[in-house]
Amino acid sequence: MTDHELKINFKEYDTLKELSAKDHSLCQEAVKAMANSHSPYSKFRVGAALRLQSGKIIHGSNQENVAYPSGLCAERVALFYWGANHPDDPIEAIAVTAHTDDFEILQPVTPCGSCLQVLAEYEKKQNKPVDILLFCNNGPVWVMNSVESFLPFLFFENRLIL
């Protein structure tokens, strides 16, 4: 038997003010995106913003449906929009935030496994990692340099690519 250990590295900032102007602005765009959340069931609003290499910003917000599995997370809304409309303009970074009136969110909310898998595929497609900025109102900001920080054993098979 061989015993293995995995470690991840990420940066934690106390506030958004510590970020570069470019990243701070992207986080503000995620807050704007959150305003379009359709979350009448969970009341848990999530916003995502992608910054593309061209400087273009793409917004996404979670979209719930009374048939719960039919909803979609903010990250995938933004990522699928990118894939359908701007696939030749690489993603540099994604910022994600969440808010609910039911309780105070004290630390960043991480993307779900499905969102991470989609992001992983797009990182492979563009052959370039994506910076991931996660933050909450009046709380810390976590910055990862690739989806592999979350999914070191991500599902990917190069022979499935056409």
Side-chain angles (χ1 to χ4, degrees):
M1 180 194 76
T2 303
D3 190 20
H4 297 272
E5 181 179 335
L6 291 174
K7 293 182 180 183
I8 65 163
N9 292 312
F10 66 96
K11 294 177 183 160
E12 180 175 280
Y13 298 89
D14 290 330
T15 69
L16 291 173
K17 293 176 186 175
E18 294 179 50
L19 297 174
S20 69
K22 205 170 166 179
D23 286 346
H24 185 271
S25 177
L26 184 63
C27 289
Q28 295 307 313
E29 293 294 326
V31 172
K32 287 181 193 175
M34 191 169 48
N36 293 325
S37 168
H38 178 69
S39 47
Y41 310 105
S42 71
K43 297 182 180 36
F44 191 79
R45 298 183 301 281
V46 181
L50 304 178
R51 183 179 61 239
L52 307 185
Q53 186 173 302
S54 67
K56 181 169 182 56
I57 302 294
I58 293 176
H59 297 94
S61 58
N62 59 322
Q63 302 295 311
E64 295 179 351
N65 190 281
V66 70
Y68 293 142
S70 299
L72 201 58
C73 301
E75 300 91 330
R76 280 181 285 157
V77 168
L79 289 164
F80 289 152
Y81 182 89
W82 171 81
N85 295 283
H86 303 282
D88 296 325
D89 190 359
I91 302 167
E92 287 186 345
I94 181 172
V96 181
T97 192
H99 178 79
T100 180
D101 293 335
D102 293 341
F103 54 89
E104 183 180 8
I105 299 173
L106 301 174
Q107 67 180 28
V109 175
T110 59
C112 73
S114 294
C115 289
L116 292 171
Q117 183 61 45
V118 169
L119 184 56
E121 179 139 342
Y122 286 153
E123 276 191 356
K124 292 285 186 183
K125 180 181 178 184
Q126 70 182 22
N127 196 30
K128 179 181 175 192
V130 173
D131 287 339
I132 304 165
L133 295 90
L134 307 173
F135 67 101
C136 57
N137 193 27
N138 300 319
V141 182
W142 296 345
V143 178
M144 287 76 173
N145 296 106
S146 170
V147 71
E148 288 187 27
S149 293
F150 295 97
L151 294 175
F153 295 109
L154 63 95
F155 174 77
F156 202 80
E157 173 52 65
N158 288 323
R159 293 170 292 179
L160 293 175
I161 298 174
L162 298 176

